[in-house]
Amino acid sequence: MQCGYYDESHHYKSLDEYNLFGNLIEFIGCDQPQKIRGRKRDILFCNEANEFKYDAFMQLLMRTAGKVILDYNPSD
């Protein structure tokens, strides 16, 4: 089922960014230290948060003004 929210003209694949209703969504990997120490954000969503290194998470947390949302899959 498609909701009609996705618009390919708003997806900047070379920058790993998407603009949704005037909000910038950035997709970054924590294996890229220069991006972790990048710009500030209002909301942080961490996928597979149990895989984050402590220092990387703290860098992201320091640069987040609002909510932080974490998800994870339990591992051994």
Side-chain angles (χ1 to χ4, degrees):
M1 180 177 160
Q2 297 221 359
C3 295
Y5 294 124
Y6 181 76
D7 181 346
E8 191 165 350
S9 69
H10 294 209
H11 193 170
Y12 311 106
K13 294 177 183 177
S14 61
L15 300 174
D16 293 324
E17 295 178 349
Y18 187 78
N19 191 307
L20 180 65
F21 307 121
N23 299 292
L24 179 64
I25 301 170
E26 295 178 295
F27 302 93
I28 62 169
C30 281
D31 59 338
Q32 303 169 353
Q34 68 277 13
K35 294 233 179 172
I36 292 172
R37 291 180 175 86
R39 68 175 113 190
K40 295 185 179 200
R41 67 198 54 81
D42 294 321
I43 300 171
L44 172 66
F45 174 78
C46 297
N47 180 248
E48 297 287 339
N50 54 319
E51 300 294 328
F52 281 42
K53 291 189 170 139
Y54 177 80
D55 292 338
F57 177 72
M58 292 308 293
Q59 288 295 323
L60 291 167
L61 188 61
M62 288 186 329
R63 290 168 172 75
T64 303
K67 293 184 180 188
V68 177
I69 304 164
L70 307 175
D71 82 351
Y72 63 94
N73 289 319
S75 59
D76 297 338

